[in-house]
Amino acid sequence: MKKHDVIIIGGGPGGSTAATVLARAGLDVGVIEREEFPRFHIGESLLPATMPLFKEIGFYDTLNNGNYIPKWGARFIDYRNDDEIYFGFTEGLNRDIPMAFEVERSKFDRDLLDHARKSGATVYQPEMVKDITITDQGASLRTDKDEYSCAYLMDISGRDSLLGLKMKIRQANKSLNNVAVFSHYTDVERAPGRDEGDIIIGLLPQRSWTWMIPFKGNVTSVGVVRSSEFFDGEKDWGAYLDRTLKQSPSVARRMQNAQQAMDVHRIGNYSHTCETFFGDRWILSGDAALFLDPIFSSGVHMSVSSSKMAAEALLQIFPHKGSFKDNGVGQAYEARVRLGAKRFYGLISMFYQGTFVADMKKTLERENMRKGFTSAVAGDVWNEDNFLFSKSVL
Ligand SMILES: Cc1cc2nc3c(=O)[nH]c(=O)nc-3n(C[C@H](O)[C@H](O)[C@H](O)COP(=O)(O)OP(=O)(O)OC[C@H]3O[C@@H](n4cnc5c(N)ncnc54)[C@H](O)[C@@H]3O)c2cc1C
């Protein structure tokens, strides 16, 4: 039986961030990650608002070492008329978050988990958690290789949401019942100069949309998201992707010389939230707690932010071997995560009304609106200086 102060299930961005924070604070942290890295994972476009967090945990220099392409903005293009809007992150409210990066998750997740290791966390990989027992003293776990016990358990296992499923507290979000089909391509046309790393979102008919996320080099991630009610059940996902991408003239033009460079993947029904995010000695963060929708690339930001907050909540109770229920520590954590999610959800709801480009075009003409929305799209969802939040627009 191996023992740690804290065990973290999952070595994705959330798990690695929490492990880094806790190990740097001197706790004995074990991370159990099922997969051998590098491995493919979806979630490739980062947000500017995450960059200060990466600076704080000492990871930013690895991101900024030339292996990842800078992302200075997000462009949304309407299939009906090629009309477009652009959120340039230098125009947001917070001058300290002008850009982010587009990342191949195989490299990014490996680099971030290595950072947790170098920060002092013990990583068990590849090793799969099979069973969890919550006890008064913490938790015990059984994996495919060993047995563990810990005083505190963090479930950061992504959409697998191990504890959420075991406790039957995970609920699907039926209003965001979407299917995503995606792959990697070479030779997708890119914008010149600094705009090369921008994410391009193409609006398509039937509340569908497509993403183009360019990586350093010649590979671009391309995917389509469509409500399952309109998904035609096509079994050949490559053919479905080709056909759907052609619905937008400007996307089709960018794809005309593209060559598929990876198998086509499909993921469905990914939006969910757990009823509660904590118990006495366990806490959920990242996708394991909630996942909204990929349209505004909020996933990694929500995951690393919530995981850092969860780790900080743990540091408050750890010295007296307390409970997350003490002095409202867990409640404050959960409320803060849900507040950020609510604000992203405001943006997401606006997008799925179907006229986002036309509506936003008018809105962005006003400078204060442009600043406020650019900030929100940059992921600065806990910035109380944004009037869009104080006036409950988002
Ligand atoms: C279609 C789609 C597109 C997306 N696009 C974006 C985007 O552009 N930008 C963005 O920021 N986000 C995006 N996301 C969201 C993003 O993928 C996630 O929000 C993000 O990866 C969450 O990080 P995490 O650390 O919480 O979970 P994960 O990254 O999923 O990491 C969880 C880890 O836990 C491990 N694990 C699971 N079960 C076990 C077990 N039993 N034992 C041990 N280990 C286990 C897994 O192997 C995994 O490595 C997208 C999501 C979807 C569905």
Side-chain angles (χ1 to χ4, degrees), residues 371-382:
K371 277 190 185 311
F373 274 103
T374 301
S375 262
V377 172
D380 208 7
V381 287
W382 290 284

Side-chain angles (χ1 to χ4, degrees), residues 9-15 32-35 37 39 41-46 105 109 127-129 156-160 162 180 182 211 213 225 267 270 285-288 291 294 297-301 303:
I9 310 176
I32 307 178
E33 167 54 52
R34 177 180 61 190
E35 313 249 3
F37 287 2
R39 54 90 175 91
H41 199 295
I42 195 62
E44 299 152 323
S45 192
L46 302 186
R105 288 284 300 271
D109 286 20
E127 189 162 335
M128 183 172 182
V129 176
I156 320 185
S157 61
R159 282 178 294 109
D160 285 30
L162 284 191
F182 47 91
W211 76 72
I213 299 171
V225 173
I267 304 180
Y270 34 69
S285 65
D287 280 10
F291 178 67
S297 306
S298 55
V300 171
H301 182 56
S303 178

Side-chain angles (χ1 to χ4, degrees), residues 126-164:
E127 189 162 335
M128 183 172 182
V129 176
K130 294 283 203 184
D131 197 23
I132 306 167
T133 308
I134 301 293
T135 62
D136 291 345
Q137 273 71 46
S140 57
L141 289 88
R142 186 174 55 77
T143 71
D144 53 359
K145 299 196 174 140
D146 219 327
E147 295 193 346
Y148 296 82
S149 73
C150 55
Y152 293 94
L153 178 67
M154 301 185 81
D155 180 4
I156 320 185
S157 61
R159 282 178 294 109
D160 285 30
S161 196
L162 284 191
L163 209 48

Side-chain angles (χ1 to χ4, degrees), residues 12-28:
S16 297
T17 298
T20 301
V21 171
L22 294 172
R24 285 178 145 206
L27 272 62
D28 170 17

Side-chain angles (χ1 to χ4, degrees), residues 19-292:
T20 301
V21 171
L22 294 172
R24 285 178 145 206
L27 272 62
D28 170 17
V29 185
V31 179
I32 307 178
E33 167 54 52
R34 177 180 61 190
E35 313 249 3
E36 197 154 5
F37 287 2
R39 54 90 175 91
F40 172 80
H41 199 295
I42 195 62
E44 299 152 323
S45 192
L46 302 186
L47 291 183
T50 324
M51 299 305 115
L53 186 158
F54 283 144
K55 285 179 185 159
E56 207 182 318
I57 67 165
F59 180 64
Y60 184 80
D61 289 347
T62 306
L63 257 185
N64 196 27
N65 66 2
N67 283 332
Y68 301 104
I69 194 168
K71 164 188 172 183
W72 292 91
R75 192 174 299 280
F76 290 72
I77 307 175
D78 198 320
Y79 75 101
R80 282 166 278 228
N81 48 13
D82 268 4
D83 222 4
E84 59 180 68
I85 49 166
Y86 184 68
F87 297 94
F89 297 128
T90 52
E91 294 184 279
L93 287 168
N94 182 351
R95 298 273 157 185
D96 293 337
I97 53 167
M99 53 82 72
F101 295 90
E102 315 286 19
V103 299
E104 275 171 283
R105 288 284 300 271
S106 52
K107 295 183 186 137
F108 172 77
D109 286 20
R110 181 201 57 200
D111 286 353
L112 195 49
L113 188 56
D114 277 351
H115 185 67
R117 230 183 238 114
K118 282 181 211 146
S119 304
T122 306
V123 179
Y124 303 97
Q125 181 187 31
E127 189 162 335
M128 183 172 182
V129 176
K130 294 283 203 184
D131 197 23
I132 306 167
T133 308
I134 301 293
T135 62
D136 291 345
Q137 273 71 46
S140 57
L141 289 88
R142 186 174 55 77
T143 71
D144 53 359
K145 299 196 174 140
D146 219 327
E147 295 193 346
Y148 296 82
S149 73
C150 55
Y152 293 94
L153 178 67
M154 301 185 81
D155 180 4
I156 320 185
S157 61
R159 282 178 294 109
D160 285 30
S161 196
L162 284 191
L163 209 48
L165 283 182
K166 184 181 163 85
M167 294 185 163
K168 299 191 173 55
I169 54 171
R170 190 180 113 139
Q171 292 172 339
N173 182 337
K174 296 209 171 70
S175 66
L176 287 169
N177 188 8
N178 290 331
V179 179
V181 180
F182 47 91
S183 187
H184 286 174
Y185 293 82
T186 56
D187 298 312
V188 177
E189 187 187 300
R190 294 184 176 190
R194 199 172 92 156
D195 295 347
E196 184 188 352
D198 292 344
I199 185 170
I200 297 178
I201 304 289
L203 278 69
L204 300 176
Q206 295 171 319
R207 301 196 323 149
S208 310
W209 55 277
T210 176
W211 76 72
M212 292 178 149
I213 299 171
F215 301 132
K216 182 87 180 177
N218 188 25
V219 174
T220 300
S221 170
V222 180
V224 167
V225 173
R226 169 158 290 172
S227 165
S228 55
E229 106 195 61
F230 298 119
F231 191 71
D232 58 13
E234 167 74 77
K235 297 276 185 304
D236 182 345
W237 301 336
Y240 168 80
L241 204 46
D242 288 346
R243 197 171 62 242
T244 312
L245 293 170
K246 290 196 176 106
Q247 293 182 317
S248 165
S250 78
V251 171
R253 177 174 51 74
R254 288 177 167 83
M255 291 293 292
Q256 63 192 349
N257 298 319
Q259 302 288 322
Q260 195 182 314
M262 185 182 80
D263 288 345
V264 177
H265 293 246
R266 177 186 183 280
I267 304 180
N269 299 336
Y270 34 69
S271 301
H272 68 260
T273 180
C274 287
E275 276 165 31
T276 180
F277 295 173
F278 66 94
D280 282 316
R281 282 169 170 253
W282 58 267
I283 195 158
L284 314 177
S285 65
D287 280 10
L290 94 172
F291 178 67
L292 296 168

